[in-house]
């Protein structure tokens, strides 16, 4: 066996090895000394056992370290005990005692050079055990045969828990990172580090430099921090790490190293950097592993990390070409390999009998038929993580990128664009639900569609287009590959899994954008709703109107965020029900954010059109006020529950509502009969139009906005008893249905919308009623449990909730992760009711701390609920 040791020494009478022995490993004679020395005092693990461990794991470990310069951490006197630290040497350069058969490579520095060993065989591993090199650290790149450095063939993220969090929180962050990485076309694999945290590895195609990979990893870490600021930090400062997991991206730097998979650690017990499965990471019993357990796992299951280093002997990934070592044929394919169907990857990931996505049959041709079409589509994809799919028709397929942060709304900030497999043209009109368990499971909807004008297409390097969108109008974008070559594969060939690469998407100034031939917009500017297509004709908004407008959504922020002066406006955040008011020909129609017609529920707003000049579509909130003139959510809830016309009529006198208008999506152009779209206008332009065409009164009100004065806005909001403040970028367009970072909500109190999945009986006087509601937030695997709420109710509310929940009763839990203690004695309900709670904070394990019930959100559907 490749990992066996052939011993020529003799054992002493105590069962330990003699003081000095000679072993033959892989044809090399190695002198081993002090084999009975205890290197791990807490477990009594000896040098002989360490050497035997490394021999046993050589077959699975060497593929992950081959041809990489190895830095060693040596504990020649053993690791520390609880009260005494062992002496450790951090060694890069080889010394004179190194056997001459150890393969080595030199790295030149500005003022010196270092010679490193390559751990390419079991003999080298045995020699490292002999010198008590317990830890082996390697970079993410390998040497070529000529001694020069390749580009990295893997990316690594080190998830390091700060004080107050542990391995469970690292596993949670790992799952969050996995969602983004799989959306980038990568297949992350976890390794419990053997110390405190988790490492995530993903194979790369070797086409990007270490700087490129570091930049992408840094952007990914920042994205995780932005989405989960209560759990993730990307800054290395120790002062920021309490109760958070550091996503350390820096180990992708060419000069940095990471503990090698299967390496022992110099910890008090012989823990190992152990490859794991994703199923294991979901276990509440997840823990670091010691070497005996790792050996048992290898014998039973093999290497869970094998795919990371699979492929050629050089360590490149399957399908990747080591730079300078293989020539392509004249057709761009490696010699002797036929061209592949461009939709091969797309088809291989989808079962046409299960998914509703279009899966055209393979016609037998090597590539899709080339065409000159210039269609595009941007799809909003609620998969494990929300992202947008950006697709351009090119040579008969849709060349596709995933945008984790959406389409950029300002030239000042680029967004990551990750190229994915090419899609069939039929995908340009696809909307629907991809079933759970299928690739890309989740909801896909059209965010924008239309045609584009091509300015530049440098295969795998740069693409510049002007989109002529049916919804969002004309915008000019540049897609720029972040490094290397071959971003979209060789000409005429779809990229393989190993050839996907990372780009940036940039919103360009509209220098070459084709102007819309429309005049007389409400603000006197062009581009009011007619868009020039690539063939020079103009189209109206009729195609867009086939899809109802939905409100633009905000992200969560804090008063401490960096709101650059003069770039942001600040409005009050109203405690009401969001609605779009369509005012046409003197009539009014109110639609909730999920498309429910609210018009009949609020007859006092039926003449809203009288307060607006011309036809318009206006965004706002329906708000009820108390006797002191402050918004009252409980009063609004009472209105929302009324269904009998007599009750509604009476309520319009006793508990009237008002429409608080804060944005305008369409307005009538002077001299024209129909309104034009204002979606592509910036906030300031839309605000000016809104104020000009509306008249505030008892039905409609346009509250003032604070220009660049967040402190004054927050003070006014608090004095009025409002929820908080909305910060809005003044240069941002209106993005229907999109949760945009151009709008940021800043609340005085934490609040969260939740889906009710059941209830537990109370005690004492509430023994026959609801003691607490069981709350969840929709996730990719079902309903994620976030805790119980048992305060904030009055008796009438509890009776009403009990009646509704009894009608929704089911036998099984709708939560996929509720702890047994919380599930004990629970009554389950269909997860269709949405409520809102206030709370102190999120716990490290993702639960709401000290939640208080605010009320039902009758204007929200479960799919609208996201973690704030």
């Amino acid at each position: 066996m490749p990992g066996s040791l052939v011993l020529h020494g003799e054992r002493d009478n105590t069962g330990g090895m003699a003081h000095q022995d000679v072993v033959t490993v892989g044809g090399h004679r190695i002198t081993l000394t002090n084999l009975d020395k205890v290197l791990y005092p807490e477990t009594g693990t000896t040098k002989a056992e360490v050497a035997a461990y490394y021999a046993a794991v050589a077959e699975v470990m060497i593929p992950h370290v081959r041809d990489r310069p190895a830095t060693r951490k040596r504990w020649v006197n053993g690791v520390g005990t609880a009260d005494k630290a062992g002496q450790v040497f951090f060694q890069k350069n080889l010394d004179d005692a190194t056997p001459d058969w150890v393969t080595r490579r030199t790295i030149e520095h500005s003022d010196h050079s270092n010679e490193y060993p390559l751990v390419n065989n079991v003999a080298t591993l045995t020699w490292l055990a002999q010198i008590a090199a317990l830890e082996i650290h390697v970079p993410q790149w390998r040497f070529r045969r000529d001694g020069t450095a390749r580009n990295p063939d893997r990316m690594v993220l080190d998830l390091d828990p700060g004080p107050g969090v542990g391995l469970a929180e690292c596993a949670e962050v790992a799952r969050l990172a996995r969602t983004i990485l799989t959306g980038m076309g990568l297949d992350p694999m976890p390794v419990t580090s053997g110390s405190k945290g988790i490492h995530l590895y993903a194979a790369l195609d070797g086409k990007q430099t270490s700087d490129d990979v570091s930049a992408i990893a840094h952007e990914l870490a920042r994205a995780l921090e932005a989405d989960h600021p209560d759990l993730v930090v990307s800054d290395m400062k120790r002062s920021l790490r309490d109760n958070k997991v550091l996503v350390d991206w820096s180990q992708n730097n060419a000069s940095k190293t990471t503990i090698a998979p299967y390496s022992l650690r110099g910890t008090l017990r012989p823990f190992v950097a152990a490859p794991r499965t994703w199923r294991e990471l979901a276990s509440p019993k997840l823990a670091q592993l010691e070497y005996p357990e790792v050996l048992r796992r290898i014998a039973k299951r093999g290497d869970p990390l094998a795919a990371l280093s699979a492929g050629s002997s050089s360590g490149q990934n399957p399908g990747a070409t080591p730079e300078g070592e293989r020539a392509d044929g004249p057709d761009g394919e490696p010699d002797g390999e036929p061209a592949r169907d461009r939709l091969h990857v797309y088809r291989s990931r989808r079962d046409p009998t299960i998914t509703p996505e279009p899966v055209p049959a393979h016609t037998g041709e090597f590539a899709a038929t080339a065409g000159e079409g210039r269609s595009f589509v941007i799809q909003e994809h609620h998969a494990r993580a929300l992202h947008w799919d950006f697709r351009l028709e090119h040579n008969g397929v849709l060349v596709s990128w995933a945008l984790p942060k959406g389409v950029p709304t300002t030239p000042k900030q680029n967004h990551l664009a990750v190229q994915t497999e090419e899609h069939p043209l039929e995908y340009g009109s696809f909307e629907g639900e991809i079933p759970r368990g299928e690739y890309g499971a989740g909801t896909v909807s059209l965010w924008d569609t239309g045609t584009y004008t091509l300015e530049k297409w440098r295969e795998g390097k740069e693409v510049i287009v002007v989109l002529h969108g049916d919804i969002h109008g004309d915008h000019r974008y540049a897609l720029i590959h972040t490094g290397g070559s071959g971003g979209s594969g060789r000409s005429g060939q779809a990229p393989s899994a190993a050839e996907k690469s990372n780009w940036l998407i940039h919103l360009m100034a509209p220098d070459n954008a084709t102007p819309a031939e429309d005049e007389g917009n409400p603000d006197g500017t062009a581009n009011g709703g007619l868009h020039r297509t690539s063939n020079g004709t103009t189209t109206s908004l009729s195609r867009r109107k086939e899809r109802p407008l939905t409100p633009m959504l905000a992200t969560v922020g804090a008063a401490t965020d960096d709101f650059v002066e003069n770039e942001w406006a600040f409005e009050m955040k109203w405690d009401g029900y969001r609605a779009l008011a369509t005012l046409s020909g003197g009539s009014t129609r109110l639609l909730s954010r999920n498309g429910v017609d609210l018009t009949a529920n609020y007859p006092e707003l039926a003449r809203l059109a009288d307060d607006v000049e011309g036809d318009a579509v206006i965004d706002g909130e329906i708000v009820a006020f108390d006797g002191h003139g402050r918004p009252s959510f409980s009063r609004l809830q009472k209105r929302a529950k009324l269904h009998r016309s007599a009750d509604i009529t009476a309520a319009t006198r006793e508990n009237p509502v008002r429409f608080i208008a804060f944005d305008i999506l369409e307005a009538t152009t002077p001299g024209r009969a129909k309104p034009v779209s204002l979606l592509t206008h910036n906030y300031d332009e839309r605000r000016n139009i809104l104020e000009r065409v509306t008249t505030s009164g008892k039905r409609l009100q346009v509250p003032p906005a604070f220009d660049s004065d967040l402190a004054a806005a927050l003070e006014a909001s608090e004095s009025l008893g409002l929820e908080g403040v909305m910060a809005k970028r003044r240069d941002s367009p209106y993005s229907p249905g999109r949760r945009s970072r151009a709008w940021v909500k800043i609340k005085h109190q934490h609040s969260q919308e939740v889906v009710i999945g059941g209830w537990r009986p109370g005690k004492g006087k509430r023994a026959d009623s609801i003691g607490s509601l069981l709350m969840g937030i929709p996730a990719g695997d079902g309903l994620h449990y976030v805790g119980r709420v048992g305060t904030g109710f009055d008796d009438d509310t509890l009776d009403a909730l009990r009646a509704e929940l009894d009608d929704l009763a089911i036998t099984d839990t709708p939560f996929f992760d509720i702890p047994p203690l919380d599930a004990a004695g629970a009554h389950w309900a269909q997860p269709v009711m949405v409520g809102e709670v206030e709370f102190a904070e999120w716990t490290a394990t993702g639960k709401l701390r000290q939640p208080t019930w605010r009320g039902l959100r009758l204007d929200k559907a479960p799919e609208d609920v996201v973690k704030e």
Side-chain angles (χ1 to χ4, degrees):
M1 293 180 61
S4 62
L5 292 177
V6 181
L7 299 177
H8 294 288
E10 296 182 357
R11 294 185 179 274
D12 60 23
N13 292 331
T14 65
M17 295 301 297
H19 180 75
Q20 178 171 312
D21 295 275
V22 177
V23 296
T24 300
V25 184
H28 300 291
R29 291 170 60 83
I30 306 172
T31 300
L32 302 180
T33 60
N34 300 320
L35 286 174
D36 54 352
K37 175 180 284 188
V38 174
L39 296 183
Y40 291 91
E42 278 204 6
T43 58
T45 304
T46 65
K47 183 191 286 190
E49 290 171 308
V50 167
Y53 165 76
Y54 273 127
V57 299
E59 189 171 359
V60 293
M61 181 179 182
I62 288 174
H64 303 305
V65 295
R66 183 187 301 278
D67 294 332
R68 303 181 194 272
T71 298
R72 293 84 63 209
K73 290 181 74 172
R74 298 173 56 195
W75 280 263
V76 295
N77 296 317
V79 300
T81 62
D83 57 355
K84 182 180 178 181
Q87 189 175 8
V88 57
F89 297 95
F90 194 81
Q91 189 171 9
K92 294 184 178 182
N93 216 11
L94 288 173
D95 54 35
D96 294 339
T98 304
D100 56 10
W101 48 260
V102 172
T103 306
R104 60 199 76 195
R105 289 287 185 269
T106 301
I107 297 179
E108 299 290 343
H109 301 280
S110 58
D111 57 350
H112 70 284
S113 62
N114 285 335
E115 192 174 47
Y116 293 81
L118 304 185
V119 187
N120 288 3
N121 50 56
V122 67
T124 303
L125 273 175
T126 304
W127 166 71
L128 290 173
Q130 156 59 23
I131 63 173
L134 301 180
E135 291 191 5
I136 302 169
H137 295 248
V138 293
Q140 314 319 316
W141 55 270
R142 302 177 188 265
F143 281 107
R144 293 187 182 90
R145 296 189 184 97
D146 62 3
T148 59
R150 298 182 187 276
N151 284 336
D153 59 0
R154 65 193 188 197
M155 175 192 291
V156 67
L157 295 176
D158 180 5
L159 311 182
D160 188 9
V165 294
L167 198 58
E169 288 76 22
C170 290
E172 182 177 352
V173 175
R175 288 187 287 271
L176 297 172
R178 183 191 187 190
T179 298
I180 297 178
L181 288 165
T182 53
M184 296 165 59
L186 300 175
D187 183 16
M189 289 164 270
V191 173
T192 46
S193 70
S195 178
K196 296 182 296 181
I198 293 173
H199 296 156
L200 282 187
Y201 287 95
L204 302 177
D205 60 8
K207 295 183 181 296
Q208 292 120 337
T209 67
S210 294
D211 288 345
D212 296 332
V213 177
S214 292
I216 294 165
H218 195 183
E219 178 66 23
L220 192 155
R222 284 191 291 229
L224 284 168
E225 180 181 31
D227 287 344
H228 307 279
D230 57 333
L231 180 61
V232 177
V233 63
S234 63
D235 194 304
M236 304 292 177
K237 295 187 184 71
R238 291 195 174 273
S239 59
L240 302 176
R241 294 180 56 187
D242 285 359
N243 300 311
K244 295 183 180 181
V245 175
L246 169 66
V247 179
D248 184 355
W249 50 271
S250 67
Q251 293 176 37
N252 296 284
N253 187 294
S255 62
K256 295 290 186 71
T257 61
T258 306
I259 188 79
Y262 293 106
S263 172
L264 287 163
R265 298 302 300 249
T267 46
L268 296 181
R269 301 180 68 88
F271 288 113
V272 173
R276 311 298 288 269
T277 66
W278 285 105
R279 182 182 295 274
E280 288 180 282
L281 254 63
S283 171
K285 299 179 180 179
L286 179 69
Q288 304 288 347
L289 297 179
E290 295 183 31
Y291 83 87
E293 176 60 23
V294 172
L295 292 176
R296 288 192 293 269
R297 289 161 51 86
I298 294 172
K300 183 177 180 180
R301 307 177 187 175
D303 179 18
L305 201 66
L308 180 68
S309 300
S312 68
S313 60
S314 66
Q316 293 295 107
N317 298 317
T321 306
E323 303 101 334
E325 292 189 20
R326 186 174 68 179
D328 289 344
D331 60 350
E333 292 294 322
D335 286 331
E337 296 184 19
R340 292 172 60 195
D341 166 33
R342 294 186 67 182
L343 298 178
H344 169 78
V345 175
Y346 176 88
R347 290 190 184 92
S348 69
R349 290 178 170 174
R350 291 163 177 85
D351 183 346
T353 66
I354 298 176
T355 181
E357 300 166 281
V359 185
H362 182 29
T363 62
E365 298 297 329
F366 283 135
T369 303
E372 297 301 324
R374 288 287 181 263
S375 67
F376 85 88
V377 65
I378 302 174
Q379 287 154 317
E380 186 172 331
H381 194 167
H382 290 261
R384 287 178 177 169
L386 174 62
H387 65 278
W388 283 259
D389 295 313
F390 187 99
R391 312 190 194 280
L392 301 174
E393 180 180 353
H394 185 66
N395 289 338
V397 294
L398 291 174
V399 180
S400 300
W401 293 262
L403 312 182
K405 293 300 177 184
V407 181
T409 58
T410 170
K412 297 180 181 179
Q413 186 175 23
N414 299 327
H415 285 184
L416 178 67
V418 183
Q419 191 159 22
T420 61
E421 75 273 18
E422 293 170 340
H423 283 52
L425 296 180
E426 295 92 330
Y427 214 95
S429 59
F430 172 68
E431 289 186 288
E433 184 78 18
I434 302 173
R436 185 191 300 183
E438 294 301 297
Y439 178 78
T443 304
V444 177
S445 60
L446 294 178
W447 188 82
D448 203 357
T449 184
T451 59
Y452 72 90
T453 299
L454 178 62
E455 293 188 12
K456 183 183 292 186
W457 195 295
R458 297 171 61 215
E459 199 71 35
K461 296 181 180 180
E462 181 183 18
V463 175
I464 299 178
V465 295
V466 181
L467 303 189
H468 310 291
D470 295 336
I471 297 175
H472 294 288
D474 290 3
H475 290 86
R476 184 169 176 242
Y477 294 102
L479 287 145
I480 304 165
H481 189 227
T482 57
S485 61
S488 58
R490 300 178 183 90
S491 179
Q493 181 193 353
S496 69
E499 290 173 328
K500 295 173 184 174
S501 52
N502 299 284
W503 301 54
L504 294 176
I505 183 169
H506 171 70
L507 175 64
M508 303 180 72
D511 298 341
N512 297 331
T514 309
E517 295 185 345
D518 188 23
E519 64 281 347
N521 287 339
D523 61 348
T525 65
N527 195 25
L530 295 180
H531 309 301
R532 183 183 293 275
T533 65
S534 58
N535 61 9
T537 62
T538 59
T539 62
S540 71
L541 293 171
S542 59
R543 181 176 179 185
R544 198 268 303 148
K545 288 188 176 183
E546 294 173 3
R547 293 174 43 76
L549 287 168
T550 53
M552 181 173 173
L553 305 176
T555 54
V556 177
T560 54
D561 292 347
D562 185 18
F563 295 103
V564 179
E565 188 174 356
N566 298 322
E567 292 185 5
W568 294 82
F570 304 98
E571 303 174 0
M572 299 296 100
K573 187 179 188 309
W574 298 93
D575 203 359
Y577 285 169
R578 187 79 174 275
L580 289 183
T582 300
L583 313 171
S584 178
S587 66
T588 300
R589 189 184 186 204
L590 299 170
L591 291 180
S592 72
R593 57 177 280 183
N594 52 3
V596 176
D597 195 326
L598 304 174
T599 311
N601 296 73
Y602 305 102
E604 63 266 55
L605 302 180
R607 298 186 64 82
L608 207 59
D610 294 349
D611 301 325
V612 179
E613 179 184 332
D615 293 348
V617 177
I618 295 178
D619 190 359
E621 297 240 358
I622 299 171
V623 180
F625 293 85
D626 62 17
H628 302 286
R630 295 185 175 183
S632 171
F633 189 64
S634 61
R635 278 177 168 254
L636 183 63
Q637 277 201 309
K638 292 177 180 178
R639 282 297 305 269
K641 294 178 180 178
L642 301 178
H643 301 291
R644 296 175 60 244
S645 58
D647 294 337
I648 293 174
T649 300
T652 61
R653 298 187 298 270
E654 302 165 4
N655 186 17
V657 298
R658 183 177 298 176
F659 188 74
I660 306 298
F662 49 71
D663 214 318
I664 187 165
L665 285 65
E666 294 182 1
T668 302
T669 300
R672 295 190 59 175
K674 293 184 177 181
V676 295
S677 172
L678 305 176
L679 299 178
T680 59
H681 290 57
N682 65 37
Y683 167 85
D684 284 338
E685 294 166 345
R686 298 194 313 276
R687 179 80 190 189
N688 290 336
I689 297 168
L690 176 67
E691 292 177 352
R692 193 176 75 239
V693 303
T694 57
T695 301
S696 292
K698 64 179 182 179
R699 289 180 294 258
L700 180 144
Q701 183 178 344
V702 181
F706 291 74
D707 291 336
S708 303
D709 195 344
L710 175 58
L714 285 169
E715 183 179 352
S717 171
E718 194 161 19
S719 66
L720 293 171
L722 301 179
E723 275 193 289
V725 167
M726 293 292 301
K728 299 183 178 180
R729 281 197 66 94
R730 301 176 67 170
D731 61 357
S732 63
Y734 190 99
S735 303
R738 178 184 171 197
R739 192 171 295 279
S740 170
R741 295 183 183 275
W743 286 13
V744 179
K745 49 188 171 184
I746 306 165
K747 297 182 179 181
H748 300 302
Q749 301 289 335
H750 297 301
S751 66
Q752 173 66 50
E753 293 166 2
V754 293
V755 178
I756 307 306
W759 59 280
R760 286 180 33 154
K763 298 180 180 179
K765 69 175 184 177
R766 286 169 61 176
D768 296 326
S769 182
I770 295 173
S772 60
L773 298 175
L774 305 176
M775 306 176 292
I777 294 177
D781 296 326
L783 194 61
H784 165 55
Y785 181 69
V786 295
R788 295 184 287 155
V789 57
T791 60
F793 306 100
D794 57 31
D795 290 341
D796 290 341
T797 300
L798 289 173
D799 291 342
L801 285 170
R802 173 67 185 272
E804 292 192 56
L805 288 168
D806 284 348
D807 290 339
L808 297 171
I810 56 177
T811 57
D812 294 324
T813 175
F815 302 102
F816 64 83
D817 58 350
I818 186 169
L821 190 63
D822 285 9
H827 298 260
W828 309 116
Q830 298 176 41
V832 296
M833 293 176 61
V834 177
E836 185 174 338
V837 296
E838 290 183 347
F839 66 102
E841 63 180 348
W842 286 99
T843 69
T845 56
K847 304 298 186 294
L848 296 168
R849 179 168 288 155
Q850 300 173 4
T852 301
W853 182 253
R854 293 197 70 228
L856 290 173
R857 294 299 312 222
L858 301 177
D859 59 328
K860 300 291 179 71
E863 57 267 24
D864 297 327
V865 176
V866 296
K867 184 179 178 182
E868 297 286 5

